[in-house]
Amino acid sequence: MFRWLFITVLSIGIIGVSVWGYQEHQEKNAVLIQAENNYQRSFHDLTYNLDLLHDKIGSTLAMNTRDQLSPQLAEIWRLTSMAHNDVGQLPLTLMPFNKTEEFLSQMGNFSYRTAIRDLESEPLSEDEVGTLESLYEMSGNIESELRKVQNMVLNDNLRWMDVQLALVNNDEQADNTIIDGFKTVEKTVEGFEEGKLNASMMGTSSDKDGFSMLGESKITEEEAKQKMKDFLELKDDTELTIAATGKGANVPMYSGSFKESERSGYIDITQQGGYPASLMINREVSDTKISLHEAMNIAKDYVSKLDLASEVAMVESNQYDNVGVFQFVPNVNDVWIYPDAIQVKVALDNGDVLGFVAKDYLENYHERDIAEPAITEEEASDKVNPNLEIQENHIAIIEDDMGEEVLTYVFLGTLNQDTYRIFINAENGSEVRVDKLKQAEIKY
């Protein structure tokens, strides 16, 4: 009797495990099928959008009316954004595909910058037409290569999940047609960029070289270590681990990290010039004991010790739980330089600086010849929405949508209980940008 009871219970257990295993298998297959379908959709959407992109660029070259040219360029910008998004949905993160993504991004930048311009008063130049012709040829080459991959995917029922597994496992021996096809696309773009593309027309124009303020002189690892200890205010017995960035880094850095009983953190210092680029301290922050205004003064004093801007103005402050985050910009003869921003994070329990980021300042700072405004403050204020109640104003240099630095009047005002920052071009009175400032978040 006991034997039959045991066999029955065991059989029921085996059946239950089998059913559970089958369900798990079915659910896993459903997830894999959904992922495969998403990959397939993104790939075919990418191919389709590249087809359209090639046709739209060709149509643009054939156009002669300015009224049609701007919408067509805007459509090219939209298609490049969609194609870029399609690439981001594919499992290519472990495969070098940055040249193609950069090409799509540059194409979008060029079409956007040209579309928002008044083409009636400033028509396409010969260089820009030449750039469009290069884009047309390049997009045609990409379209052709992707069509080949698409044809093989459809004819041989190739799966994107196999691509993902091959990339994750770094299986270089695997004969994966899709990976080989995308590598061909990448090589095609790389070769084209080196040969034909007018690079100066593709990116945002700028008179400055990024990180030019760093100079050529490099500090030693030992000098960097001492600077890090000073900035971090480490105890004498605290061990600081330091390492230099590898070859090919955009900006060579020394990175340091430490761990004490109640806090830990890291810091980056540029090898050229020894400037602090970023710092982050991790520790438990207790209840708020100092005001946001007191924390702002602490942050401002800290910026003055960084050997960067001699005088700064605060453009934004926010409180997150028991931490204050402040953004400062250099104040040069009462002109605020927005591109050279510095962020500082302060604990509201005791005023400790928990972090700062100076990357924008280090990248954008350069000597500027600041011209006098061509219009008066009153004339600029007349361009602001009359429903806006202006609270304060100042003059500033900002970057517009095309990456160009523009001298502006900045008006801070309120409308319907929201606060806005309005930028009016100090040369011609046009509205450059409107920013809605963040409000204190409601806790639910």
Side-chain angles (χ1 to χ4, degrees):
M1 181 67 181
F2 177 77
R3 178 186 176 190
W4 286 108
L5 182 62
F6 176 76
I7 293 174
T8 301
V9 173
L10 182 62
S11 300
I12 292 173
I14 292 173
I15 293 171
V17 170
S18 300
V19 170
W20 174 80
Y22 177 75
Q23 289 177 337
E24 286 290 305
H25 178 71
Q26 289 295 95
E27 290 176 2
K28 180 181 178 182
N29 280 343
V31 171
L32 293 176
I33 290 171
Q34 183 179 7
E36 179 65 29
N37 290 341
N38 288 337
Y39 289 150
Q40 291 286 354
R41 186 195 70 248
S42 297
F43 170 65
H44 294 297
D45 283 351
L46 173 64
T47 307
Y48 175 71
N49 286 327
L50 259 298
D51 285 350
L52 286 180
L53 191 59
H54 183 238
D55 293 341
K56 291 292 182 182
I57 297 174
S59 300
T60 303
L61 288 170
M63 284 182 177
N64 191 39
T65 58
R66 306 303 177 197
D67 292 341
Q68 292 296 320
L69 197 54
S70 289
Q72 190 80 348
L73 288 166
E75 179 66 8
I76 291 174
W77 171 70
R78 186 183 71 85
L79 289 171
T80 55
S81 298
M82 293 176 65
H84 205 279
N85 180 64
D86 293 332
V87 172
Q89 300 297 317
L90 296 174
L92 302 175
T93 53
L94 299 177
M95 185 182 80
F97 204 60
N98 56 301
K99 289 292 183 183
T100 305
E101 291 184 277
E102 182 181 350
F103 171 77
L104 290 172
S105 177
Q106 291 174 334
M107 187 189 298
N109 287 340
F110 172 77
S111 58
Y112 176 77
R113 292 172 56 218
T114 312
I116 65 175
R117 196 173 78 205
D118 184 359
L119 292 173
E120 194 65 42
S121 60
E122 192 180 352
L124 292 178
S125 66
E126 291 184 7
D127 283 342
E128 288 173 324
V129 173
T131 297
L132 274 174
E133 291 173 346
S134 297
L135 292 174
Y136 179 71
E137 182 181 350
M138 183 67 250
S139 61
N141 292 340
I142 296 177
E143 175 193 23
S144 176
E145 294 298 335
L146 284 179
R147 280 293 190 184
K148 293 176 184 177
V149 178
Q150 186 182 48
N151 183 61
M152 289 183 288
V153 167
L154 294 173
N155 289 339
D156 300 336
N157 293 320
L158 301 177
R159 299 194 320 151
W160 276 93
M161 293 304 297
D162 295 334
V163 174
Q164 188 175 28
L165 290 173
L167 292 173
V168 170
N169 296 328
N170 197 24
D171 190 358
E172 298 180 357
Q173 302 301 319
D175 181 18
N176 195 296
T177 306
I178 296 178
I179 293 178
D180 293 341
F182 272 79
K183 285 182 178 179
T184 302
V185 173
E186 182 75 353
K187 288 180 181 178
T188 301
V189 176
E190 185 175 5
F192 188 89
E193 280 190 336
E194 292 174 355
K196 297 184 179 180
L197 199 59
N198 184 355
S200 64
M201 295 299 299
M202 294 301 295
T204 54
S205 59
S206 176
D207 294 330
K208 64 182 184 297
D209 296 321
F211 298 99
S212 59
M213 68 161 293
L214 300 182
E216 298 296 329
S217 177
K218 289 189 175 184
I219 63 172
T220 65
E221 188 170 308
E222 195 59 37
E223 289 173 326
K225 195 168 188 177
Q226 187 56 52
K227 283 177 175 284
M228 290 177 181
K229 287 184 175 181
D230 293 340
F231 281 117
L232 294 168
E233 298 180 349
L234 297 182
K235 300 174 183 177
D236 294 336
D237 58 347
T238 300
E239 182 178 353
L240 177 66
T241 303
I242 186 171
T245 53
K247 292 182 179 180
N250 185 30
V251 180
M253 297 272 187
Y254 288 115
S255 297
S257 60
F258 76 96
K259 187 172 183 179
E260 294 177 340
S261 58
E262 297 181 353
R263 64 173 197 154
S264 61
Y266 72 87
I267 183 173
D268 289 330
I269 287 182
T270 62
Q271 293 185 21
Q272 295 166 233
Y275 293 99
S278 63
L279 173 148
M280 186 60 66
I281 304 293
N282 298 310
R283 72 163 176 83
E284 192 73 27
V285 181
S286 57
D287 294 338
T288 298
K289 295 179 181 177
I290 65 173
S291 68
L292 199 63
H293 180 74
E294 290 175 300
M296 183 270 290
N297 288 328
I298 292 172
K300 195 171 184 179
D301 290 341
Y302 189 84
V303 170
S304 66
K305 299 175 183 177
L306 293 179
D307 195 25
L308 297 175
S310 57
E311 185 176 349
V312 295
M314 190 192 72
V315 295
E316 191 169 349
S317 67
N318 293 286
Q319 181 174 344
Y320 303 95
D321 293 329
N322 300 325
V323 172
V325 179
F326 308 91
Q327 184 177 60
F328 299 95
V329 297
N331 183 350
V332 180
N333 298 325
D334 293 327
V335 177
W336 299 14
I337 314 297
Y338 275 64
D340 302 358
I342 300 171
Q343 290 84 33
V344 183
K345 179 179 176 182
V346 177
L348 299 180
D349 56 355
N350 63 0
D352 280 350
V353 172
L354 299 182
F356 75 83
V357 179
K359 178 182 178 297
D360 287 342
Y361 182 92
L362 298 177
E363 182 175 9
N364 297 321
Y365 175 81
H366 63 284
E367 293 293 335
R368 296 173 172 89
D369 292 325
I370 303 176
E372 290 293 325
I375 63 174
T376 65
E377 178 187 315
E378 290 73 22
E379 290 172 326
S381 65
D382 289 340
K383 304 294 183 180
V384 177
N385 187 328
N387 295 321
L388 195 81
E389 185 178 345
I390 298 175
Q391 306 293 332
E392 59 180 79
N393 64 79
H394 57 270
I395 300 177
I397 288 178
I398 69 167
E399 287 187 351
D400 62 13
D401 289 338
M402 294 189 294
E404 300 283 356
E405 291 193 350
V406 182
L407 183 67
T408 63
Y409 284 100
V410 184
F411 296 93
L412 195 70
T414 57
L415 177 65
N416 297 329
Q417 298 181 338
D418 290 318
T419 305
Y420 297 88
R421 190 184 287 130
I422 317 294
F423 299 89
I424 303 297
N425 192 311
E427 290 292 320
N428 54 31
S430 63
E431 193 174 69
V432 181
R433 196 171 76 220
V434 176
D435 292 342
K436 181 177 180 293
L437 301 188
K438 294 179 181 178
Q439 303 290 340
E441 294 186 7
I442 301 174
K443 293 185 178 181
Y444 297 96

